[in-house]
Amino acid sequence: MARLHWTLFPYSSLLLLFLCLLPLLHASAGDSDPIYRACVDQCEKTGCVGKNCFQHCKFSSDGKSIDGPWYLQEPLYLRWKQWDCRSDCRYNCMLAREEDREQLGHKPIKYHGKWPFRRVYGIQEPVAVALSALNLSMQFHGWLSFFILLYYKLPLRPDKRTYYEYTGLWHIYGIFSMNSWFWSAVFHSRDVELTEKLDYSSAVALLGFSLILSILRAFNVRDEAARVMVAAPLIAFVTTHILYLNFYKLDYGLNMKVCVAMGVVQLLVWAIWAGITCHPSRWKLWFVVVGGGLAMLLEIYDFPPYEGFVDAHALWHATTIPLSYFWWSFIRDDAEFRTSILLKKTK
């Protein structure tokens, strides 16, 4: 089924949290439909669904031609996308079956854990890919504006370092966020084992680092030794979990529990801190927390894609775009707030 992909802090946590919460389902009502299954079996033998025939079915799994000269090979870009005979058969049988069901007045159902999306230039979920790319650009814009603020607008120490104590942590956070949204776009473009693992791993890594950062910032941990004591066990745990998912077993149930635990803890940390702090921009923090919570209703109220393109998960991706803007706005305000305090102390 569709996955979750989500920068965590308030809203990010919710995002990643749901990324981890939505495991891929390997059995759905659609793929257990006998008519659909018969269509796929017949297609894999003949290479055709109705009048549509697919060149993939004339090639073996390594791309070599089955019924032609040895030097004929499937185009490289098709092999890179990993569209093969089975993928095309499933896709076209799904569309054919859904057309029949629509004529009978039935609602769309899921196939192999996913709604019946329509491809665009070989991209599985074009709207989700586009929105993931927009989220990636928002993360880049937020990180870049943070960088410019610190090094070109705010005063620096005599040694050219920033006064803001969390500069390096937020830079790392920006990298993790951009990496997560990049793999989100790739995963929605083509759902295979590799892209699935990269997407889940990047989301878990972002969620784990976000938890560390939430603790360090909320408790105002500035001593390097104390930071190491807080971060080391969490980094070890997250690293072990990612290695387990990639090299032992992609356990969706375990991954869900881990993501829920990390997400809930950091949400509580930010919410409590926002409630007791006198930070001038705490309202932005509340906005992101509440807005992200409301956006999650789109994941709970799952519905089939409109015209085969826009489903609840895609709309959720759209809501994270403005939330990203407010989140980075809060980070910049925090940098200015802390810098002003430290400057007053030095004077």
Side-chain angles (χ1 to χ4, degrees):
M1 152 167 203
R3 66 156 218 172
L4 289 207
H5 189 331
W6 320 4
T7 322
L8 300 252
F9 290 131
Y11 107 81
S12 292
S13 320
L14 287 170
L15 151 69
L16 295 184
L17 180 61
F18 267 84
L19 268 177
C20 299
L21 281 176
L22 297 182
L24 296 180
L25 302 177
H26 296 287
S28 303
D31 43 280
S32 61
D33 181 348
I35 298 178
Y36 166 78
R37 294 169 67 90
C39 174
V40 173
D41 290 341
Q42 181 66 19
C43 173
E44 290 181 342
K45 295 176 182 178
T46 64
C48 299
V49 176
K51 296 181 180 179
N52 295 325
C53 296
F54 321 111
Q55 68 178 93
H56 308 290
C57 295
K58 297 180 181 180
F59 295 86
S60 62
S61 59
D62 61 0
K64 294 182 179 180
S65 177
I66 292 176
D67 57 357
W70 64 269
Y71 53 81
L72 289 179
Q73 292 191 352
E74 191 174 27
L76 180 62
Y77 78 94
L78 290 175
R79 279 184 280 159
W80 176 78
K81 290 179 180 178
Q82 293 196 20
W83 295 124
D84 53 23
C85 181
R86 171 167 292 186
S87 297
D88 268 342
C89 285
R90 285 181 173 181
Y91 174 71
N92 285 276
C93 284
M94 174 189 72
L95 294 182
R97 183 61 181 136
E98 282 302 302
E99 289 179 3
D100 293 340
R101 288 175 52 81
E102 183 179 6
Q103 293 177 0
L104 296 174
H106 299 312
K107 295 181 179 180
I109 55 177
K110 292 183 178 182
Y111 295 80
H112 306 284
K114 302 179 76 71
W115 288 114
F117 287 95
R118 291 186 176 275
R119 296 178 190 169
V120 175
Y121 296 109
I123 298 176
Q124 261 183 253
E125 301 175 44
V127 174
V129 171
L131 292 173
S132 292
L134 284 175
N135 273 287
L136 172 59
S137 66
M138 287 300 298
Q139 293 296 330
F140 176 75
H141 174 270
W143 170 79
L144 183 62
S145 63
F146 174 69
F147 179 89
I148 293 173
L149 172 69
L150 287 174
Y151 293 100
Y152 294 97
K153 295 183 178 181
L154 295 178
L156 298 173
R157 297 177 186 270
D159 59 0
K160 300 303 180 181
R161 293 187 299 114
T162 65
Y163 281 94
Y164 188 49
E165 313 99 314
Y166 305 95
T167 297
L169 294 173
W170 285 118
H171 283 325
I172 297 173
Y173 169 81
I175 293 173
F176 273 115
S177 296
M178 289 184 281
N179 176 69
S180 183
W181 281 113
F182 171 78
W183 289 115
S184 171
V186 173
F187 175 76
H188 284 297
S189 176
R190 182 68 175 101
D191 175 5
V192 295
E193 182 180 3
L194 176 62
T195 59
E196 177 188 21
K197 287 183 176 180
L198 288 169
D199 180 48
Y200 274 65
S201 298
S202 62
V204 171
L206 174 57
L207 192 55
F209 186 78
S210 298
L211 174 58
I212 294 172
L213 189 45
S214 66
I215 296 173
L216 297 181
R217 180 62 190 95
F219 289 93
N220 199 24
V221 181
R222 287 172 286 177
D223 181 72
E224 289 299 323
R227 288 184 174 185
V228 172
M229 292 177 65
V230 172
L234 289 173
I235 291 174
F237 172 76
V238 170
T239 301
T240 301
H241 181 63
I242 291 175
L243 291 174
Y244 177 87
L245 293 177
N246 283 272
F247 300 107
Y248 184 70
K249 180 182 180 181
L250 190 56
D251 189 327
Y252 300 110
L254 174 63
N255 190 51
M256 178 185 71
K257 293 175 183 178
V258 170
C259 290
V260 168
M262 293 194 294
V264 169
V265 171
Q266 73 177 273
L267 283 175
L268 288 174
V269 170
W270 283 114
I272 293 173
W273 185 67
I276 63 177
T277 184
C278 295
H279 199 291
S281 296
R282 60 186 179 277
W283 69 270
K284 293 182 181 179
L285 188 56
W286 277 116
F287 178 84
V288 172
V289 172
V290 175
L294 293 175
M296 285 305 99
L297 294 176
L298 291 170
E299 291 292 351
I300 297 174
Y301 180 64
D302 192 19
F303 57 82
Y306 177 73
E307 296 295 331
F309 297 108
V310 182
D311 67 339
H313 184 65
L315 290 180
W316 177 85
H317 276 292
T319 64
T320 57
I321 295 174
L323 290 175
S324 296
Y325 174 83
F326 277 97
W327 181 236
W328 278 104
S329 177
F330 167 76
I331 296 170
R332 292 192 298 270
D333 291 348
D334 188 51
E336 292 185 80
F337 178 61
R338 289 297 304 167
T339 299
S340 65
I341 292 177
L342 293 173
L343 282 174
K344 290 177 182 178
K345 291 182 178 181
T346 58
K347 295 179 179 178

